[in-house]
Amino acid sequence: MSAPGVGAVAGWVDSRPVPRERLDRRIAELREGPFRGTLPVPGSSEDRQLARWLTQVILTEALCEAVASELGLDPVEGEPFEGVAAVELGSINTAAYNGSPWVRAVFAHVTATTAAPPEWRSPTPAEHRPPRHLLRHRVFPDPSSAQQATSDDLDPLGRASLDSLPAAIAEELRRHPHGTLVGPVRDTLGWHVAIAVPDTASAPPPPQQGAALRPEPGPSRAPAPIAGGDALLDAARRRAFARWLDDMRAKKIELVPGLEHPGDPRQPDNHHKH
């Protein structure tokens, strides 16, 4: 599909065409870069899915560029999202955020007044918290590289519950013994590989006996502040931005045939395999 004065387009943002050349250049940069050996074979189903994924990243960047221009925002530099934060935000949103100062500017603007939901800040007794694991995880763009992955190829996510991972890979991890390299498991983000080992250091201590359970009376104290307040706010901001992007993409972005969302079940390359 093409537009007058632009030629082939990768899509439209608020009725303005985004040149296909932007996508072709991004693909060429990847094929000339250090990870070229992990990319799918040109012309394959996985290669077309990669192009669809990159299109979503580019259109998200273009959307935020337009919003930043309209609002008069300045570009923002910052640290990239990695690990659990990247998984929470989603691979497309994370790639756009990490690669574009305009996406970061819009993120800062959209989430400036975001607050963590009160229920997130309610202390939970240790015995009711979901078990934590030492997690390693990575999303691969194609099944062949995912199948060849070892634990050393995965990104360390630190201590977290399995619920912090995408549902598909979290469910598979629960079905396997601890320490098993699980995957590839496919969802709309790509092919997941992960490994989880129980975090014994964070397990609640065993209950004490007798008088130790009845502390001596003493002066009253203010409740201790809930740990992780900043982390909760950061997570809330990522969630708010992801929802804002979903809403804006639905309203402002028009896709073209052949460059649909990679998770669209109507496009021919969206075949689910484990």
Side-chain angles (χ1 to χ4, degrees), residues 38-100:
T38 67
L39 297 179
V41 176
S44 65
S45 172
E46 290 78 12
D47 183 55
R48 292 190 293 271
Q49 285 290 73
L50 174 61
R52 291 184 176 98
W53 183 87
L54 287 170
T55 298
Q56 291 293 313
V57 175
I58 290 168
L59 294 179
T60 299
E61 293 171 347
L63 170 66
C64 290
E65 289 165 10
V67 171
S69 176
E70 180 181 343
L71 297 176
L73 303 178
D74 294 324
V76 171
E77 298 302 326
E79 294 297 319
F81 283 136
E82 298 176 337
V84 172
V87 173
E88 288 176 348
L89 191 59
S91 67
I92 290 169
N93 298 338
T94 296
Y97 177 95
N98 290 351
S100 170

Side-chain angles (χ1 to χ4, degrees), residues 117-136:
E119 60 270 21
W120 288 14
R121 298 188 179 277
S122 299
T124 303
E127 63 269 20
H128 297 308
R129 293 175 190 158
R132 294 166 67 86
H133 296 75
L134 296 173
L135 299 178
R136 298 181 71 91

Side-chain angles (χ1 to χ4, degrees), residues 2 15 18 22 26 36 58 82 103 108 112 118 128 188 246:
S2 61
S15 301
V18 176
R22 190 166 170 175
R26 192 73 60 92
R36 57 185 177 273
I58 290 168
E82 298 176 337
V103 178
H128 297 308
T188 57
D246 286 343

Side-chain angles (χ1 to χ4, degrees), residues 1 16 20 40 49 71 122 134 159 171 180 247 256 266 274:
M1 191 169 291
R16 291 189 291 269
R20 168 76 189 224
Q49 285 290 73
L71 297 176
S122 299
L134 296 173
R159 294 178 171 87
E171 186 61 30
T180 302
D247 180 61
V256 301
R266 296 168 295 182
H274 280 197

Side-chain angles (χ1 to χ4, degrees), residues 83-195:
V84 172
V87 173
E88 288 176 348
L89 191 59
S91 67
I92 290 169
N93 298 338
T94 296
Y97 177 95
N98 290 351
S100 170
W102 302 111
V103 178
R104 294 191 289 271
V106 175
F107 174 91
H109 175 81
V110 168
T111 66
T113 59
T114 299
E119 60 270 21
W120 288 14
R121 298 188 179 277
S122 299
T124 303
E127 63 269 20
H128 297 308
R129 293 175 190 158
R132 294 166 67 86
H133 296 75
L134 296 173
L135 299 178
R136 298 181 71 91
H137 168 260
R138 185 175 174 186
V139 182
F140 293 85
D142 62 89
S144 59
S145 56
Q147 289 168 353
Q148 297 172 18
T150 68
S151 60
D152 292 337
D153 298 319
L154 309 184
D155 299 321
L157 303 184
R159 294 178 171 87
S161 72
L162 295 182
D163 292 335
S164 65
L165 294 172
I169 187 64
E171 186 61 30
E172 285 299 314
L173 284 168
R174 292 187 179 97
R175 295 173 181 168
H176 289 77
H178 295 140
T180 302
L181 189 67
V182 175
V185 175
R186 188 184 180 193
D187 67 4
T188 57
L189 301 177
W191 284 263
H192 299 263
V193 179
I195 187 170

